[in-house]
């Protein structure tokens, strides 16, 4: 039977079928259906047009993505007017929309979330503490200190922050994979997917963990799921490197 690696528009045919190494891992082989886009009661759109971008719009967009609970949909948008009073954010709640200006820092972004969602759902101070510790952990991970990053991310999860947890589990999955805790890396990738099903990076990390387990067909499915969610990643160097690594593993498995 032939199997083809077709993610990222690259197709390579091999002599054997799915190469998952053992029947006990069959539960990882099933292709996940593409999750529906959540309707979400709250949408936040951050202007990243020229003036707002100079005033910190892109940084605020990143902060909101890390602070917002899963039911809040955060994305960029074009000019909202009121140039010079930015960064400007339009918030849509249950069909009603309002524009907020001068949201130029992570602290202001957290305060806006608390204002919109209510303190019972989002605590600005707790959210900022969680964000700061996660960013510290990710800096350690970028420097190659995976064990330090994992310890910091364990603390972040212990803080029970209400937003950005898919990013925390994403980063801990990466850290665990780096220190050789493959099953833990897969569990964290799956938890990130549970929290935010439409988060492509979690699906990519799931694929990375499955490759480390020798579950090559399931890894291909995970990469394809990420590509379904964000077709633009096919052009990224990191995605192309993942596909090449998967192809090499398949070749090695079929030609021992």
């Amino acid at each position: 039977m032939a199997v083809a690696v077709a993610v990222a528009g690259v197709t390579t045919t091999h002599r054997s079928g799915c190469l998952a190494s053992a029947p006990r891992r069959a539960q990882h082989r099933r292709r996940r259906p593409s999750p529906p886009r959540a309707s979400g009661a709250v949408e936040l759109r951050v202007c990243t047009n020229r003036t707002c971008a100079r005033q910190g719009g892109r940084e605020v967009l990143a902060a909101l993505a890390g602070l917002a609970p899963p039911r809040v949909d955060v994305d960029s948008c074009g000019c909202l007017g009121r140039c010079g009073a930015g960064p400007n954010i339009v918030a849509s709640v249950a069909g009603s929309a309002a524009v907020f200006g001068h949201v130029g820092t992570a602290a202001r972004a957290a305060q806006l979330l608390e204002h919109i969602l209510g303190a019972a759902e989002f605590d600005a101070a707790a959210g900022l503490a969680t964000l700061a510790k996660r960013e510290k952990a990710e800096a350690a991970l970028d420097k190659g200190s995976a064990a330090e990053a994992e310890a910091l991310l364990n603390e972040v999860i212990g803080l029970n922050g209400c937003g950005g947890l898919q990013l925390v589990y994403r980063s801990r999955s990466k850290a665990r994979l780096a220190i050789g805790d493959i099953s833990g890396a897969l569990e964290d990738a799956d938890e990130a997917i549970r929290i935010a099903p439409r988060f492509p990076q979690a699906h990519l990390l799931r694929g990375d963990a499955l490759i480390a387990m020798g579950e090559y067909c399931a890894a291909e499915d995970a990469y394809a799921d990420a590509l379904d969610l964000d077709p633009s990643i096919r052009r990224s160097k990191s995605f192309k490197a993942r596909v090449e690594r998967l192809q090499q593993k398949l070749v090695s498995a079929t030609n021992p």
Side-chain angles (χ1 to χ4, degrees), residues 13-62:
T13 302
H14 303 278
R15 291 180 301 180
S16 65
C18 284
L19 298 173
S21 59
R24 62 188 173 85
R25 291 178 181 164
Q27 68 270 23
H28 299 313
R29 299 179 191 175
R30 295 189 299 272
R31 175 74 185 275
R32 291 168 179 260
S34 181
R37 184 174 298 276
S39 58
V42 179
E43 293 183 357
L44 297 179
R45 298 291 180 262
V46 182
C47 176
T48 54
N49 210 25
R50 286 178 299 177
T51 302
C52 281
R54 288 196 297 268
Q55 295 170 328
R58 291 191 178 90
E59 292 76 13
V60 169
L61 174 62

Side-chain angles (χ1 to χ4, degrees), residues 91-118:
S92 300
V93 183
S96 298
V99 176
F100 298 85
H102 299 294
V103 188
T105 64
R108 292 295 299 272
Q111 291 165 4
L112 177 61
L113 276 172
E114 186 176 271
H115 170 73
I116 293 170
L117 301 176

Side-chain angles (χ1 to χ4, degrees), residues 234-251:
R234 75 169 66 245
R235 297 189 295 271
S236 71
K237 291 181 179 179
S238 62
F239 188 71
K240 291 177 181 178
R242 282 178 162 100
V243 173
E244 183 177 354
R245 183 172 68 249
L246 176 58
Q247 290 173 340
Q248 290 170 351
K249 293 289 186 181
L250 283 166
V251 169

Side-chain angles (χ1 to χ4, degrees), residues 7 11 18 20 75-76 99 110 124 126 129 141 164 166 169 176 199 205 217 222 230 251 255:
V7 289
T11 303
C18 284
D75 206 345
S76 62
V99 176
L141 189 57
Q166 73 275 18
Y169 282 103
R176 286 181 163 179
F199 183 31
L205 282 164
C217 286
D230 183 5
V251 169
N255 299 285

